[in-house]
Amino acid sequence: MGEMTMKALVYHSPHQFSLDEVPVPQIQDPGDAILRVTLATPCTSDIHILEGHIPFVRWPITLGHEFCGEIVELGSAVEGFKVGDRVSCLPGAFCNECVMCKSGYPSFCLHGGCYGNIKDLHGALAEYVRIPFAAQTMKHIPEGLAEEDVLLAGDMLGTAWFGITNAEVKKGDSVAVFGVGPVGMCACILAKKVFEAETVIAVDLAQYRLDAVLNAGVADYIINPTEEDAVKRIREITHKRGVNAVVETAGVQSTMTAAARSLGIGGILSTISLFAKPLELPLDLMPNRNLQLRTGIQQCQGVDTILELIKEGKIDTRFMLTHRSPLNDII
């Protein structure tokens, strides 16, 4: 690679970030790959980092873990790929060998981690990015698909998949999604189009988000809490039973409380939020109705299936891609 430096979005400390000139990444291990980033997007958790909500992130570090790229260099041990291949990537690197990987928690890999979160694992809001353990964390972009088709597969859809499966959504269920930002929109897509929920209810304060999921055919009902009582409306839609499952993505007190109160007997509240501060749980009602609360971070499950479903046309996230800008405008 001829370039000695590149542009990258660097996090320096809470509320301090800039587009800097940094060294172009180099192969450090035979299992590495170097990608030229062709399409990337900031994630909600990048915003949490910039706000100082994730204190374990050590700066300075290049942010970004949702991206596609073209392979420009490969380590000698990487098999199944070649220079020039177009790939999408999982949001983190994992070794498949440590105790956390073997226990089913690759997101907590002792030798990897999420791009732009862990020291020396710089992210992809940059011109190039190094991919450790490349053979297991890169995914070929299926023939006939563009980067725009698969950009959200690893994180937004991957996180939504975690939330939906944690909620045990199945065919015929009623599901409420509280917070339909990118992850919530993906949860609506999966609940309706893949897991075949009979009724999907989207709840959000932003009307344009609600209109987007309704117009895309991935929500049957939309509720704006500034205009009506969300819990009361959900009870009306479900004939007073409440929903089988809730996927909560906002991570604030009002949505957690309303989500729990929207569930029917034996329902599951699956939250996939990153929380900026402690919240109170509505334990006054949860044990008495056999409700379950499930939390966590996705473990890169379902991504291969998601890519196949995108190729088959069952998952389409293009309606979510509303703005496109060069890296120079990222600030």
Side-chain angles (χ1 to χ4, degrees):
M1 295 177 60
E3 298 94 339
M4 298 303 294
T5 64
M6 65 176 186
K7 292 183 178 181
L9 178 69
V10 179
Y11 169 61
H12 295 282
S13 63
H15 308 288
Q16 301 296 318
F17 55 97
S18 54
L19 185 63
D20 296 351
E21 289 286 335
V22 302
V24 172
Q26 304 294 320
I27 295 287
Q28 298 179 19
D29 183 271
D32 288 354
I34 305 296
L35 300 188
R36 179 179 67 84
V37 179
T38 53
L39 192 64
T41 181
C43 171
T44 313
S45 56
D46 291 318
I47 306 303
H48 277 286
I49 293 170
L50 295 178
E51 293 293 323
H53 296 161
I54 306 180
F56 64 76
V57 177
R58 294 291 176 257
W59 59 77
I61 193 167
T62 299
L63 298 183
H65 54 264
E66 195 150 23
F67 60 99
C68 300
E70 177 188 348
I71 298 172
V72 295
E73 191 173 357
L74 283 173
S76 59
V78 181
E79 298 180 348
F81 296 89
K82 64 182 185 302
V83 170
D85 282 351
R86 299 181 309 131
V87 297
S88 64
C89 288
L90 298 178
F94 55 89
C95 68
N96 270 349
E97 296 294 335
C98 72
V99 63
M100 298 311 299
C101 286
K102 290 183 176 180
S103 298
Y105 295 103
S107 291
F108 302 100
C109 176
L110 300 179
H111 307 295
C114 183
Y115 296 102
N117 278 237
I118 306 297
K119 182 182 179 182
D120 297 329
L121 191 55
H122 290 283
L125 293 175
E127 294 181 80
Y128 296 91
V129 61
R130 180 177 71 92
I131 311 297
F133 313 112
Q136 56 253 35
T137 56
M138 298 190 305
K139 305 290 182 180
H140 287 286
I141 296 177
E143 192 68 30
L145 296 183
E147 282 88 346
E148 288 84 353
D149 295 310
V150 302
L151 174 62
L152 305 183
D155 190 14
M156 296 295 101
L157 280 164
T159 299
W161 184 280
F162 178 80
I164 290 289
T165 55
N166 243 11
E168 298 185 12
V169 174
K170 59 186 181 300
K171 185 175 182 178
D173 276 355
S174 56
V175 180
V177 179
F178 276 76
V180 286
V183 171
M185 289 185 180
C186 287
C188 290
I189 293 169
L190 294 176
K192 193 67 183 176
K193 299 296 186 179
V194 179
F195 289 82
E196 299 182 344
E198 181 176 341
T199 305
V200 175
I201 305 166
V203 184
D204 201 286
L205 299 174
Q207 190 63 39
Y208 75 93
R209 293 176 172 180
L210 297 172
D211 292 339
V213 291
L214 187 65
N215 293 336
V218 296
D220 302 290
Y221 298 91
I222 56 175
I223 300 173
N224 189 326
T226 65
E227 299 178 359
E228 56 185 331
D229 186 308
V231 176
K232 181 179 178 181
R233 179 64 181 131
I234 288 171
R235 292 282 169 182
E236 291 173 353
I237 292 168
T238 59
H239 307 289
K240 299 184 179 180
R241 292 192 302 270
V243 290
N244 302 105
V246 170
V247 177
E248 192 277 336
T249 76
V252 296
Q253 188 65 63
S254 59
T255 56
M256 287 291 286
T257 301
R261 296 187 182 280
S262 300
L263 285 165
I265 300 296
I268 299 174
L269 197 173
S270 172
T271 178
I272 42 180
S273 297
L274 290 174
F275 297 92
K277 59 183 180 181
L279 304 181
E280 291 184 2
L281 294 177
L283 293 178
D284 57 320
L285 62 91
M286 296 187 76
N288 294 333
R289 294 165 57 196
N290 280 42
L291 305 183
Q292 297 183 51
L293 171 65
R294 298 181 180 179
T295 72
I297 297 171
Q298 66 137 318
Q299 300 302 313
C300 303
Q301 297 168 327
V303 175
D304 290 331
T305 301
I306 287 168
L307 289 171
E308 283 298 317
L309 291 169
I310 293 172
K311 185 176 180 180
E312 294 170 10
K314 292 183 178 179
I315 294 176
D316 184 356
T317 57
R318 276 185 174 254
F319 75 92
M320 297 167 56
L321 307 182
T322 57
H323 297 70
R324 182 169 182 147
S325 299
L327 181 62
N328 282 339
D329 293 346
I330 195 166
I331 300 299

mmCIF file of all heavy atoms in Angstrom, residues 55-88:
data_model
loop_
_atom_site.group_PDB
_atom_site.id
_atom_site.type_symbol
_atom_site.label_atom_id
_atom_site.label_comp_id
_atom_site.label_asym_id
_atom_site.label_seq_id
_atom_site.Cartn_x
_atom_site.Cartn_y
_atom_site.Cartn_z
ATOM 1 N N PRO A 55 -17.555 4.262 29.358
ATOM 2 C CA PRO A 55 -16.280 4.709 29.937
ATOM 3 C C PRO A 55 -15.090 3.808 29.659
ATOM 4 O O PRO A 55 -13.946 4.245 29.802
ATOM 5 C CB PRO A 55 -16.586 4.767 31.445
ATOM 6 C CG PRO A 55 -17.753 3.852 31.647
ATOM 7 C CD PRO A 55 -18.563 3.954 30.393
ATOM 8 N N PHE A 56 -15.337 2.532 29.253
ATOM 9 C CA PHE A 56 -14.184 1.661 29.039
ATOM 10 C C PHE A 56 -13.469 1.944 27.726
ATOM 11 O O PHE A 56 -12.382 1.419 27.478
ATOM 12 C CB PHE A 56 -14.592 0.184 29.104
ATOM 13 C CG PHE A 56 -15.539 -0.277 28.031
ATOM 14 C CD1 PHE A 56 -15.108 -0.505 26.730
ATOM 15 C CD2 PHE A 56 -16.877 -0.496 28.328
ATOM 16 C CE1 PHE A 56 -15.980 -0.934 25.746
ATOM 17 C CE2 PHE A 56 -17.757 -0.937 27.353
ATOM 18 C CZ PHE A 56 -17.305 -1.146 26.054
ATOM 19 N N VAL A 57 -14.043 2.749 26.841
ATOM 20 C CA VAL A 57 -13.386 3.081 25.573
ATOM 21 C C VAL A 57 -12.229 4.035 25.856
ATOM 22 O O VAL A 57 -12.405 5.096 26.450
ATOM 23 C CB VAL A 57 -14.377 3.712 24.586
ATOM 24 C CG1 VAL A 57 -13.654 4.129 23.301
ATOM 25 C CG2 VAL A 57 -15.504 2.737 24.260
ATOM 26 N N ARG A 58 -11.045 3.630 25.430
ATOM 27 C CA ARG A 58 -9.848 4.437 25.681
ATOM 28 C C ARG A 58 -9.448 5.193 24.419
ATOM 29 O O ARG A 58 -9.399 4.619 23.330
ATOM 30 C CB ARG A 58 -8.702 3.534 26.146
ATOM 31 C CG ARG A 58 -8.969 2.895 27.511
ATOM 32 C CD ARG A 58 -8.950 3.945 28.629
ATOM 33 N NE ARG A 58 -9.294 3.368 29.924
ATOM 34 C CZ ARG A 58 -10.480 3.498 30.512
ATOM 35 N NH1 ARG A 58 -11.444 4.165 29.903
ATOM 36 N NH2 ARG A 58 -10.723 2.964 31.685
ATOM 37 N N TRP A 59 -9.181 6.456 24.572
ATOM 38 C CA TRP A 59 -8.829 7.307 23.451
ATOM 39 C C TRP A 59 -7.329 7.582 23.417
ATOM 40 O O TRP A 59 -6.653 7.336 24.412
ATOM 41 C CB TRP A 59 -9.626 8.615 23.558
ATOM 42 C CG TRP A 59 -9.397 9.381 24.820
ATOM 43 C CD1 TRP A 59 -8.323 10.173 25.151
ATOM 44 C CD2 TRP A 59 -10.268 9.420 25.956
ATOM 45 N NE1 TRP A 59 -8.458 10.697 26.412
ATOM 46 C CE2 TRP A 59 -9.644 10.270 26.933
ATOM 47 C CE3 TRP A 59 -11.502 8.851 26.275
ATOM 48 C CZ2 TRP A 59 -10.230 10.533 28.178
ATOM 49 C CZ3 TRP A 59 -12.070 9.123 27.508
ATOM 50 C CH2 TRP A 59 -11.450 9.944 28.446
ATOM 51 N N PRO A 60 -6.822 8.037 22.280
ATOM 52 C CA PRO A 60 -7.522 8.284 21.009
ATOM 53 C C PRO A 60 -7.755 6.981 20.249
ATOM 54 O O PRO A 60 -6.915 6.074 20.282
ATOM 55 C CB PRO A 60 -6.549 9.199 20.262
ATOM 56 C CG PRO A 60 -5.189 8.808 20.764
ATOM 57 C CD PRO A 60 -5.397 8.442 22.213
ATOM 58 N N ILE A 61 -8.891 6.913 19.559
ATOM 59 C CA ILE A 61 -9.221 5.721 18.787
ATOM 60 C C ILE A 61 -10.136 6.104 17.636
ATOM 61 O O ILE A 61 -10.970 7.005 17.764
ATOM 62 C CB ILE A 61 -9.874 4.643 19.685
ATOM 63 C CG1 ILE A 61 -9.925 3.299 18.957
ATOM 64 C CG2 ILE A 61 -11.259 5.086 20.165
ATOM 65 C CD1 ILE A 61 -10.271 2.123 19.868
ATOM 66 N N THR A 62 -9.944 5.438 16.502
ATOM 67 C CA THR A 62 -10.829 5.638 15.362
ATOM 68 C C THR A 62 -12.125 4.865 15.596
ATOM 69 O O THR A 62 -12.092 3.684 15.933
ATOM 70 C CB THR A 62 -10.161 5.145 14.068
ATOM 71 O OG1 THR A 62 -8.959 5.881 13.842
ATOM 72 C CG2 THR A 62 -11.082 5.327 12.866
ATOM 73 N N LEU A 63 -13.246 5.533 15.416
ATOM 74 C CA LEU A 63 -14.547 4.924 15.658
ATOM 75 C C LEU A 63 -15.064 4.198 14.416
ATOM 76 O O LEU A 63 -14.520 4.325 13.329
ATOM 77 C CB LEU A 63 -15.554 5.980 16.101
ATOM 78 C CG LEU A 63 -15.246 6.717 17.411
ATOM 79 C CD1 LEU A 63 -16.379 7.678 17.753
ATOM 80 C CD2 LEU A 63 -15.036 5.728 18.547
ATOM 81 N N GLY A 64 -16.157 3.430 14.606
ATOM 82 C CA GLY A 64 -16.864 2.830 13.478
ATOM 83 C C GLY A 64 -16.757 1.326 13.410
ATOM 84 O O GLY A 64 -15.656 0.780 13.356
ATOM 85 N N HIS A 65 -17.921 0.645 13.429
ATOM 86 C CA HIS A 65 -17.910 -0.822 13.363
ATOM 87 C C HIS A 65 -19.028 -1.364 12.463
ATOM 88 O O HIS A 65 -19.360 -2.530 12.553
ATOM 89 C CB HIS A 65 -18.023 -1.410 14.780
ATOM 90 C CG HIS A 65 -19.189 -0.896 15.560
ATOM 91 N ND1 HIS A 65 -19.089 0.144 16.453
ATOM 92 C CD2 HIS A 65 -20.484 -1.275 15.573
ATOM 93 C CE1 HIS A 65 -20.270 0.387 16.988
ATOM 94 N NE2 HIS A 65 -21.142 -0.469 16.467
ATOM 95 N N GLU A 66 -19.567 -0.509 11.603
ATOM 96 C CA GLU A 66 -20.613 -0.958 10.675
ATOM 97 C C GLU A 66 -20.187 -0.539 9.277
ATOM 98 O O GLU A 66 -20.273 0.640 8.919
ATOM 99 C CB GLU A 66 -21.961 -0.332 11.057
ATOM 100 C CG GLU A 66 -23.125 -0.998 10.391
ATOM 101 C CD GLU A 66 -24.379 -0.928 11.243
ATOM 102 O OE1 GLU A 66 -24.477 -0.041 12.103
ATOM 103 O OE2 GLU A 66 -25.265 -1.769 11.035
ATOM 104 N N PHE A 67 -19.697 -1.532 8.469
ATOM 105 C CA PHE A 67 -18.997 -1.118 7.261
ATOM 106 C C PHE A 67 -18.859 -2.264 6.257
ATOM 107 O O PHE A 67 -18.998 -3.439 6.600
ATOM 108 C CB PHE A 67 -17.601 -0.598 7.623
ATOM 109 C CG PHE A 67 -16.715 -1.609 8.307
ATOM 110 C CD1 PHE A 67 -15.756 -2.304 7.607
ATOM 111 C CD2 PHE A 67 -16.846 -1.860 9.669
ATOM 112 C CE1 PHE A 67 -14.934 -3.241 8.231
ATOM 113 C CE2 PHE A 67 -16.033 -2.776 10.314
ATOM 114 C CZ PHE A 67 -15.081 -3.467 9.601
ATOM 115 N N CYS A 68 -18.569 -1.859 5.038
ATOM 116 C CA CYS A 68 -18.204 -2.784 3.955
ATOM 117 C C CYS A 68 -16.894 -2.302 3.348
ATOM 118 O O CYS A 68 -16.513 -1.139 3.507
ATOM 119 C CB CYS A 68 -19.271 -2.798 2.858
ATOM 120 S SG CYS A 68 -20.912 -3.309 3.401
ATOM 121 N N GLY A 69 -16.209 -3.205 2.660
ATOM 122 C CA GLY A 69 -14.949 -2.795 2.065
ATOM 123 C C GLY A 69 -14.459 -3.732 0.985
ATOM 124 O O GLY A 69 -15.048 -4.790 0.729
ATOM 125 N N GLU A 70 -13.374 -3.321 0.367
ATOM 126 C CA GLU A 70 -12.680 -4.122 -0.644
ATOM 127 C C GLU A 70 -11.330 -4.545 -0.077
ATOM 128 O O GLU A 70 -10.587 -3.708 0.448
ATOM 129 C CB GLU A 70 -12.474 -3.310 -1.924
ATOM 130 C CG GLU A 70 -11.692 -4.051 -3.003
ATOM 131 C CD GLU A 70 -11.338 -3.161 -4.165
ATOM 132 O OE1 GLU A 70 -11.871 -2.032 -4.260
ATOM 133 O OE2 GLU A 70 -10.488 -3.587 -4.984
ATOM 134 N N ILE A 71 -11.032 -5.826 -0.174
ATOM 135 C CA ILE A 71 -9.757 -6.324 0.349
ATOM 136 C C ILE A 71 -8.607 -5.805 -0.511
ATOM 137 O O ILE A 71 -8.596 -5.996 -1.730
ATOM 138 C CB ILE A 71 -9.737 -7.861 0.373
ATOM 139 C CG1 ILE A 71 -10.831 -8.401 1.300
ATOM 140 C CG2 ILE A 71 -8.366 -8.372 0.826
ATOM 141 C CD1 ILE A 71 -10.997 -9.917 1.238
ATOM 142 N N VAL A 72 -7.641 -5.154 0.152
ATOM 143 C CA VAL A 72 -6.468 -4.656 -0.586
ATOM 144 C C VAL A 72 -5.194 -5.386 -0.182
ATOM 145 O O VAL A 72 -4.182 -5.317 -0.888
ATOM 146 C CB VAL A 72 -6.281 -3.131 -0.389
ATOM 147 C CG1 VAL A 72 -7.448 -2.371 -1.001
ATOM 148 C CG2 VAL A 72 -6.113 -2.776 1.087
ATOM 149 N N GLU A 73 -5.232 -6.113 0.940
ATOM 150 C CA GLU A 73 -4.053 -6.867 1.378
ATOM 151 C C GLU A 73 -4.512 -7.986 2.299
ATOM 152 O O GLU A 73 -5.431 -7.798 3.106
ATOM 153 C CB GLU A 73 -3.071 -5.946 2.097
ATOM 154 C CG GLU A 73 -1.707 -6.564 2.353
ATOM 155 C CD GLU A 73 -0.707 -5.559 2.918
ATOM 156 O OE1 GLU A 73 -1.054 -4.369 3.052
ATOM 157 O OE2 GLU A 73 0.424 -5.992 3.231
ATOM 158 N N LEU A 74 -3.865 -9.139 2.197
ATOM 159 C CA LEU A 74 -4.221 -10.296 3.008
ATOM 160 C C LEU A 74 -2.996 -10.871 3.688
ATOM 161 O O LEU A 74 -1.923 -10.975 3.077
ATOM 162 C CB LEU A 74 -4.855 -11.396 2.138
ATOM 163 C CG LEU A 74 -6.310 -11.228 1.699
ATOM 164 C CD1 LEU A 74 -6.677 -12.335 0.714
ATOM 165 C CD2 LEU A 74 -7.239 -11.254 2.896
ATOM 166 N N GLY A 75 -3.169 -11.274 4.952
ATOM 167 C CA GLY A 75 -2.128 -12.013 5.629
ATOM 168 C C GLY A 75 -1.999 -13.413 5.054
ATOM 169 O O GLY A 75 -2.939 -13.949 4.441
ATOM 170 N N SER A 76 -0.870 -14.043 5.277
ATOM 171 C CA SER A 76 -0.565 -15.327 4.637
ATOM 172 C C SER A 76 -1.470 -16.457 5.114
ATOM 173 O O SER A 76 -1.601 -17.484 4.424
ATOM 174 C CB SER A 76 0.900 -15.694 4.902
ATOM 175 O OG SER A 76 1.151 -15.778 6.301
ATOM 176 N N ALA A 77 -2.128 -16.300 6.269
ATOM 177 C CA ALA A 77 -2.948 -17.390 6.818
ATOM 178 C C ALA A 77 -4.435 -17.267 6.485
ATOM 179 O O ALA A 77 -5.220 -18.148 6.839
ATOM 180 C CB ALA A 77 -2.780 -17.442 8.339
ATOM 181 N N VAL A 78 -4.820 -16.210 5.785
ATOM 182 C CA VAL A 78 -6.247 -15.994 5.497
ATOM 183 C C VAL A 78 -6.650 -16.810 4.273
ATOM 184 O O VAL A 78 -6.104 -16.632 3.181
ATOM 185 C CB VAL A 78 -6.549 -14.506 5.262
ATOM 186 C CG1 VAL A 78 -8.050 -14.317 4.988
ATOM 187 C CG2 VAL A 78 -6.114 -13.671 6.457
ATOM 188 N N GLU A 79 -7.614 -17.700 4.473
ATOM 189 C CA GLU A 79 -8.093 -18.548 3.382
ATOM 190 C C GLU A 79 -9.534 -18.198 3.029
ATOM 191 O O GLU A 79 -10.294 -17.692 3.852
ATOM 192 C CB GLU A 79 -8.010 -20.026 3.790
ATOM 193 C CG GLU A 79 -6.595 -20.505 4.072
ATOM 194 C CD GLU A 79 -6.541 -21.964 4.472
ATOM 195 O OE1 GLU A 79 -7.618 -22.548 4.747
ATOM 196 O OE2 GLU A 79 -5.425 -22.519 4.539
ATOM 197 N N GLY A 80 -9.907 -18.479 1.783
ATOM 198 C CA GLY A 80 -11.277 -18.262 1.346
ATOM 199 C C GLY A 80 -11.555 -16.873 0.813
ATOM 200 O O GLY A 80 -12.695 -16.573 0.425
ATOM 201 N N PHE A 81 -10.542 -16.027 0.781
ATOM 202 C CA PHE A 81 -10.693 -14.665 0.279
ATOM 203 C C PHE A 81 -9.495 -14.327 -0.587
ATOM 204 O O PHE A 81 -8.437 -14.951 -0.480
ATOM 205 C CB PHE A 81 -10.786 -13.658 1.431
ATOM 206 C CG PHE A 81 -12.002 -13.829 2.297
ATOM 207 C CD1 PHE A 81 -11.963 -14.686 3.397
ATOM 208 C CD2 PHE A 81 -13.168 -13.136 2.026
ATOM 209 C CE1 PHE A 81 -13.077 -14.846 4.208
ATOM 210 C CE2 PHE A 81 -14.278 -13.286 2.837
ATOM 211 C CZ PHE A 81 -14.243 -14.146 3.918
ATOM 212 N N LYS A 82 -9.656 -13.291 -1.426
ATOM 213 C CA LYS A 82 -8.545 -12.822 -2.256
ATOM 214 C C LYS A 82 -8.606 -11.312 -2.358
ATOM 215 O O LYS A 82 -9.653 -10.686 -2.100
ATOM 216 C CB LYS A 82 -8.603 -13.454 -3.651
ATOM 217 C CG LYS A 82 -9.812 -13.081 -4.475
ATOM 218 C CD LYS A 82 -9.805 -13.784 -5.819
ATOM 219 C CE LYS A 82 -10.942 -13.333 -6.724
ATOM 220 N NZ LYS A 82 -12.276 -13.555 -6.104
ATOM 221 N N VAL A 83 -7.494 -10.718 -2.693
ATOM 222 C CA VAL A 83 -7.446 -9.274 -2.904
ATOM 223 C C VAL A 83 -8.463 -8.899 -3.981
ATOM 224 O O VAL A 83 -8.563 -9.566 -5.016
ATOM 225 C CB VAL A 83 -6.022 -8.831 -3.301
ATOM 226 C CG1 VAL A 83 -6.015 -7.375 -3.750
ATOM 227 C CG2 VAL A 83 -5.071 -9.032 -2.125
ATOM 228 N N GLY A 84 -9.229 -7.855 -3.712
ATOM 229 C CA GLY A 84 -10.268 -7.407 -4.636
ATOM 230 C C GLY A 84 -11.664 -7.846 -4.249
ATOM 231 O O GLY A 84 -12.651 -7.310 -4.775
ATOM 232 N N ASP A 85 -11.782 -8.839 -3.361
ATOM 233 C CA ASP A 85 -13.116 -9.281 -2.922
ATOM 234 C C ASP A 85 -13.834 -8.158 -2.182
ATOM 235 O O ASP A 85 -13.230 -7.408 -1.415
ATOM 236 C CB ASP A 85 -13.008 -10.490 -1.989
ATOM 237 C CG ASP A 85 -12.744 -11.791 -2.713
ATOM 238 O OD1 ASP A 85 -12.808 -11.797 -3.965
ATOM 239 O OD2 ASP A 85 -12.472 -12.805 -2.040
ATOM 240 N N ARG A 86 -15.143 -8.088 -2.420
ATOM 241 C CA ARG A 86 -16.000 -7.166 -1.673
ATOM 242 C C ARG A 86 -16.574 -7.905 -0.469
ATOM 243 O O ARG A 86 -17.105 -9.005 -0.615
ATOM 244 C CB ARG A 86 -17.153 -6.650 -2.536
ATOM 245 C CG ARG A 86 -16.722 -5.867 -3.774
ATOM 246 C CD ARG A 86 -17.941 -5.374 -4.546
ATOM 247 N NE ARG A 86 -18.884 -6.458 -4.799
ATOM 248 C CZ ARG A 86 -20.193 -6.388 -4.561
ATOM 249 N NH1 ARG A 86 -20.741 -5.293 -4.071
ATOM 250 N NH2 ARG A 86 -20.980 -7.418 -4.826
ATOM 251 N N VAL A 87 -16.483 -7.285 0.697
ATOM 252 C CA VAL A 87 -16.931 -7.967 1.911
ATOM 253 C C VAL A 87 -17.704 -7.001 2.805
ATOM 254 O O VAL A 87 -17.510 -5.785 2.777
ATOM 255 C CB VAL A 87 -15.749 -8.560 2.706
ATOM 256 C CG1 VAL A 87 -15.028 -9.629 1.895
ATOM 257 C CG2 VAL A 87 -14.774 -7.473 3.140
ATOM 258 N N SER A 88 -18.608 -7.576 3.591
ATOM 259 C CA SER A 88 -19.157 -6.877 4.754
ATOM 260 C C SER A 88 -18.510 -7.512 5.974
ATOM 261 O O SER A 88 -18.008 -8.634 5.904
ATOM 262 C CB SER A 88 -20.681 -6.995 4.805
ATOM 263 O OG SER A 88 -21.076 -8.347 4.978
#
